[in-house]
């Protein structure tokens, strides 16, 4: 298949691009600056191209001749209206451009933030109750994607990642922007207390594993679907701090802030297991990642 990936020079997009190219697909890896990660373009099967959500004139040449659009890029705006314009409206426009280009399958990257308030064992069909503009724009785009699939007969698949972590997939590629891994490892290296929130954690998933979900969706032949993409095991940031201490061979205090977080609430991941046979555990990959972060300057 010829697959166009938006946001391919970013963290998740670069992992997806490399996996799909290594699986034998023709991948067009796009971004605002397609030359941001030269090593990505050196991967056999990947070509680089410019596609910017804010510039519709860049969409048509990038989408030409493609079979599948994998939409990972995020448009950002300060405040609700600008977020709606930069991300949801732009994404809907991109979907329409893909349809006009003859693309018959779209995979859209949403987020667990679209769900918002967790109730425990949340399923893909639960009521969406986002708590910030990021979650609201993801939820909004999901609704448009569902309507778009029904209206155009283009297959649309929604992926809802949670916290994705990993090392760079190729030299110079991105990692996640969150600083908590680095802050924890820095404190351990320097022998300082680690400052955390009591009962804070999530179902961390390695980027190599979310790439498997995108690959599986390429052959998922239904009109519309939604899947969470997380690990089955819940891990706290305190667990990660203890991993860092064990790897570095130094104990430091953990100082907790109590924000009233209760026991862990889990997302129901039966859909990716039933549909694709995928079930992920992340603790060993978390240990490997902590080791990598500790080794960074």
């Amino acid at each position: 298949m010829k697959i166009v990936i938006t946001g391919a020079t970013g963290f998740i997009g670069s992992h997806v691009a490399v996996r799909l190219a290594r699986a034998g697909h023709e991948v067009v890896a796009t971004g605002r600056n397609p030359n941001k990660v030269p090593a990505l373009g050196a991967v056999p099967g990947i070509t680089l191209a410019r596609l910017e959500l804010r510039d519709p004139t860049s969409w048509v040449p990038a989408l030409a001749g493609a079979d599948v659009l994998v939409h990972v890029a995020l448009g950002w705006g300060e405040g609700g209206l600008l977020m709606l314009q930069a991300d949801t409206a732009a994404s809907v426009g991109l979907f329409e451009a893909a349809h006009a280009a003859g693309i018959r399958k779209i995979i859209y990257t949403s987020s667990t933030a679209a769900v918002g308030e967790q109730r425990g064992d949340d399923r893909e069909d639960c009521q969406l109750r986002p708590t910030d503009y990021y979650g609201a724009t993801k939820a909004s785009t999901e609704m448009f994607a569902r309507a778009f699939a029904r209206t155009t007969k283009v297959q649309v698949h929604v992926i809802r990642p949670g916290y994705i972590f990993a090392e760079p997939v190729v030299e110079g590629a991105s990692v996640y922007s969150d600083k908590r891994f680095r802050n924890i490892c820095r404190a351990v290296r320097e022998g300082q207390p680690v400052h955390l929130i009591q009962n804070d954690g999530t179902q961390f998933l390695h980027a190599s594993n979310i790439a498997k979900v995108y690959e599986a969706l390429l052959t998922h032949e239904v009109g519309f679907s939604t899947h969470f993409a997380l690990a089955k095991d819940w891990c706290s940031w305190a667990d990660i701090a203890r991993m860092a201490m064990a790897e570095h061979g130094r104990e430091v205090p953990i100082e907790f802030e109590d924000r009233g977080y209760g026991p862990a609430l889990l997302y129901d991941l039966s859909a990716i297991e039933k549909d694709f046979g995928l079930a992920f555990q992340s603790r060993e990959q978390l240990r490997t990642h902590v080791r990598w972060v500790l080794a960074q300057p």
Side-chain angles (χ1 to χ4, degrees), residues 179-225:
K179 296 180 180 179
R180 280 173 284 186
F181 276 101
R182 284 171 283 176
N183 290 344
I184 288 169
C185 290
R186 183 184 301 114
V188 171
R189 282 199 308 263
E190 296 175 356
Q192 301 295 322
V194 175
H195 301 281
L196 299 174
I197 299 169
Q198 186 74 43
N199 295 330
D200 189 18
T202 190
Q203 292 164 264
F204 294 91
L205 184 66
H206 196 273
S208 65
N209 287 330
I210 194 175
K212 295 176 185 178
V213 181
Y214 285 89
E215 183 180 18
L217 284 167
L218 294 178
T219 54
H220 191 49
E221 299 299 325
V222 299
F224 181 84
S225 72

Side-chain angles (χ1 to χ4, degrees), residues 196-201 234 236 238 255-262:
L196 299 174
I197 299 169
Q198 186 74 43
N199 295 330
D200 189 18
W234 187 93
S236 72
E255 297 180 352
F256 290 104
E257 176 187 353
D258 187 356
R259 294 188 183 177
Y261 289 12

